[in-house]
Amino acid sequence: MKTTRTPACPWEDRVLQAFLEGTPAGDAGVVAAHLEECPECRKALDQSRALDALLASRARTEISEAQADRLLAFLERPAAARPRRRPALRLLPVLAGLLALALLLPGRREPREQVALAAAPAEVGRPEPGLPQLAGLLASRSLAVSDSYRLPPPVEVPSPGPELLLAAFCGRPDPALGEARLAQEAAKILAAADPLEPGPLAMAAVDWLLDRIQAGALPTRRALEPGRLLLEAEDEARWELVRLFRLRPVLLRKLAGLPLGQEPELAPLHGALGNEAALPALAAGGEERQLAAVRGAWRTGDEQAARFVLALFLKAALRSTAQERAGAEWVLAMPGPMAELLLPELARRALGERRHPERTLCKRLLEALRGELSAAGS
Amino acid sequence: MRQETEPGRPQQPPALEAARRGDPGAFDQVVRPLLGSLLALARRLAGEAAGEDLLQEGLLRAWRGLAGFREETTFRAWVAGILFRLSREPRRFRPRPERAAAARAIPDRLDPDPLLKASARELLDRVEQALERLPAPQRTALHLRAIEGWGYAEIAAALETSAGAARTAVFAARRRLRARMGDLL
């Protein structure tokens, strides 16, 4: 390990670093003496010290009781002691079924609702152990499989092999593997995956599938039907849903297209609201939906959700289109605590923003907030 | 905080045995004091946005696999190893390229001297950016050494390598950061 620091000095960098850590390979006195004479090494050592000091000066990551409880919430669940199916993979059979339907039934012109309901056959009659409510919900909706949607027996084709498939799912497709063939392979892999230990190939297949859904290459509306049903499920299922969407921001973005204005629908998404991936979808969702999200966060007093929505509005405000600015000003009209949350961030932006119109907007918002706060104080 | 692993078996948290027998409360007791540093590591590995997910998944795996924990290293090094391996799974918890400022927590209060703070913050941001560009083993090793103050034996256990290789990774990470930061240091 020759040093790249100074060609003029033959001392190896690792000797200096070992000296820095107090564990010199040889005599520490020799190193100290060399440092007296060699400005290059002295500078390198000082830089290493400064770097370590800088890193050590980072504020330690504090974790609130609520956050710790959330992280360890799985311990309080009845089935915590035994292995459970990974939430994200509970929908694997459904996804596989959807994929097969999409591939094997092209050109069908069925009413949308019928097709959507037929998308969940894999779940029917096979309740998940941790989701009794969802099973009840599904059963109550009479999601019987219509004969016309039964899948034909799969066509047996030789598999391209896991390495080729993994490379393809990770964005390096073999030219001989078309997208339709890849989708078929993904469906097979997901149907056969062990939900407890799916392995990298199945996880890559899930990611690839979701990417294709996001790109609009697969029938999104049908693929999202299970998520829509889950939204209406009870607490246990909602918890799973939140975890699912935290792991799968693509689905969250898609679901953000659902109406968020009603509180029962907003509630299960609170845990996912900290995910920045949801910002573009909400930002594109129009003023009414954004305001509904703010109202929901505000009413429930969920600080994380409130901060998220504030970040959304700050981004929107900085883009300065008339509609978004109106949304930010609506936030400003809210009483004290919300304004207190907003104030430091606005100040930071106002100080740091170089572009004139945005800086001006930040300052204006800041002034308005100060006025509001002083009015509240008096 | 720096705990070089003693020769022989390292000392484990007292509640660990009860946790291994399936007592969730004991597991909570063992893991709760470690959550701050584990979350910092998870964020270092997976980015701000996915760090908490990575930690939650890692804790779940630790709980389920506790029976397989051989006490040749510390419990925290074992959990850190789970996080490290989990973060390497294809496309699951890899840091997203666009780590925007909005992903950071919005501060609760305005600092008394925002301009002074801003320059220190900028320097720290530069270090963070340089850290993110390091290979994962070097980034993890330097994080555990310089920020968490771990000994090389524990770092080696987390990275499933030797103490010498862990030391080399830390040295290499420091050297790269120095080169990238230049005269800012």
Side-chain angles (χ1 to χ4, degrees), chain B residues 34-52:
Chain B
L34 305 176
L35 285 179
S37 63
L38 289 175
L39 181 59
L41 174 63
R43 284 178 176 160
R44 176 74 61 212
L45 289 165
E48 287 285 330
E52 199 171 320

Side-chain angles (χ1 to χ4, degrees), chain A residues 212-261:
Chain A
R212 301 316 299 146
I213 290 173
Q214 186 188 23
L218 293 170
T220 306
R221 192 177 295 275
R222 281 178 284 163
L224 286 176
E225 189 61 22
R228 193 189 297 270
L229 291 176
L230 274 168
L231 267 179
E232 299 172 20
E234 299 301 323
D235 291 344
E236 173 90 355
R238 280 182 182 163
W239 194 89
E240 297 288 1
L241 177 73
V242 167
R243 271 184 54 77
L244 168 67
F245 289 137
R246 286 178 70 86
L247 292 173
R248 295 280 173 261
V250 174
L251 272 185
L252 176 62
R253 278 202 292 273
K254 290 292 180 184
L255 262 194
L258 294 174
L260 288 176

Side-chain angles (χ1 to χ4, degrees), chain A:
Chain A
M1 189 195 300
K2 292 287 179 190
T3 177
T4 54
R5 164 184 45 84
T6 159
C9 179
W11 278 59
E12 290 189 2
D13 189 68
R14 66 180 174 192
V15 176
L16 295 178
Q17 291 207 40
F19 179 78
L20 170 71
E21 296 204 335
T23 54
D27 186 351
V30 176
V31 182
H34 174 75
L35 286 171
E36 289 288 323
E37 298 166 357
C38 180
E40 301 283 352
C41 286
R42 213 162 46 238
K43 182 181 174 190
L45 191 66
D46 287 345
Q47 283 183 328
S48 289
R49 279 197 181 116
L51 182 63
D52 275 14
L54 199 58
L55 289 171
S57 73
R58 285 177 84 260
R60 297 201 68 76
T61 303
E62 298 293 339
I63 205 159
S64 66
E65 279 299 305
Q67 200 178 5
D69 289 344
R70 196 168 62 241
L71 283 166
L72 296 169
F74 64 87
L75 290 172
E76 292 168 11
R77 304 171 64 213
R82 62 176 186 274
R84 292 170 57 87
R85 297 184 66 173
R86 178 173 303 177
L89 295 172
R90 288 174 182 232
L91 298 180
L92 286 189
V94 182
L95 288 173
L98 287 166
L99 199 55
L101 276 174
L103 290 170
L104 298 174
L105 301 174
R108 260 183 199 282
R109 295 286 186 267
E110 299 296 339
R112 184 180 293 159
E113 190 176 343
Q114 271 185 306
V115 176
L117 292 181
E123 293 286 329
V124 177
R126 196 162 63 79
E128 298 288 350
L131 291 177
Q133 300 91 340
L134 177 60
L137 179 72
L138 290 171
S140 71
R141 288 178 167 242
S142 306
L143 297 178
V145 183
S146 161
D147 282 344
S148 61
Y149 291 111
R150 285 201 189 284
L151 301 180
V155 181
E156 286 300 328
V157 287
S159 170
E163 285 178 9
L164 265 183
L165 284 174
L166 186 60
F169 291 142
C170 292
R172 299 186 301 279
D174 187 294
L177 280 176
E179 191 155 273
R181 176 70 192 286
L182 262 182
Q184 274 185 340
E185 294 296 332
K188 279 199 287 187
I189 290 165
L190 297 186
D194 174 3
L196 275 180
E197 288 299 333
L201 187 58
M203 291 311 302
V206 171
D207 284 334
W208 181 83
L209 179 57
L210 293 176
D211 281 349
R212 301 316 299 146
I213 290 173
Q214 186 188 23
L218 293 170
T220 306
R221 192 177 295 275
R222 281 178 284 163
L224 286 176
E225 189 61 22
R228 193 189 297 270
L229 291 176
L230 274 168
L231 267 179
E232 299 172 20
E234 299 301 323
D235 291 344
E236 173 90 355
R238 280 182 182 163
W239 194 89
E240 297 288 1
L241 177 73
V242 167
R243 271 184 54 77
L244 168 67
F245 289 137
R246 286 178 70 86
L247 292 173
R248 295 280 173 261
V250 174
L251 272 185
L252 176 62
R253 278 202 292 273
K254 290 292 180 184
L255 262 194
L258 294 174
L260 288 176
Q262 299 156 26
E263 279 198 88
E265 285 177 325
L266 183 67
L269 290 172
H270 272 166
L273 279 175
N275 194 331
E276 199 196 357
L279 276 172
L282 264 185
E287 187 179 6
E288 192 176 336
R289 183 176 302 148
Q290 292 170 9
L291 295 187
V294 175
R295 281 192 207 103
W298 177 248
R299 209 173 296 146
T300 54
D302 184 326
E303 188 181 316
Q304 187 190 13
R307 281 165 184 264
F308 163 76
V309 177
L310 283 176
L312 167 73
F313 272 100
L314 281 167
K315 277 193 170 182
L318 290 177
R319 282 201 299 272
S320 303
T321 67
Q323 190 185 24
E324 288 160 344
R325 191 180 302 191
E329 286 173 353
W330 191 89
V331 173
L332 287 180
M334 288 184 157
M338 185 68 96
E340 277 185 25
L341 274 175
L342 191 56
L343 181 60
E345 182 67 9
L346 277 174
R348 196 173 69 78
R349 303 250 173 156
L351 285 170
E353 188 56 58
R354 288 193 173 82
R355 283 177 296 178
H356 182 67
E358 294 173 351
R359 191 181 173 112
T360 305
L361 176 64
C362 279
K363 282 187 171 172
R364 199 164 60 77
L365 295 176
L366 191 58
E367 286 305 317
L369 266 177
R370 280 191 180 133
E372 183 185 330
L373 284 180
S374 60
S378 62

Side-chain angles (χ1 to χ4, degrees), chain B residues 43-113:
Chain B
R43 284 178 176 160
R44 176 74 61 212
L45 289 165
E48 287 285 330
E52 199 171 320
D53 293 335
L54 171 62
L55 177 56
Q56 199 165 38
E57 186 77 7
L59 291 173
L60 188 61
R61 288 201 183 191
W63 168 239
R64 286 175 177 168
L66 198 54
F69 170 47
R70 290 177 297 166
E71 300 186 17
E72 292 161 356
T73 183
T74 58
F75 176 75
R76 68 179 184 179
W78 180 67
V79 180
I82 292 175
L83 295 181
F84 181 70
R85 285 193 301 278
L86 203 51
S87 73
R88 312 278 282 168
E89 285 189 8
R91 303 178 64 188
R92 287 199 68 195
F93 296 108
R94 296 286 172 87
R96 281 189 274 277
E98 71 289 3
R99 281 185 56 185
R104 283 190 217 117
I106 300 172
D108 288 325
R109 292 282 179 271
L110 193 59
D111 286 316
D113 188 349

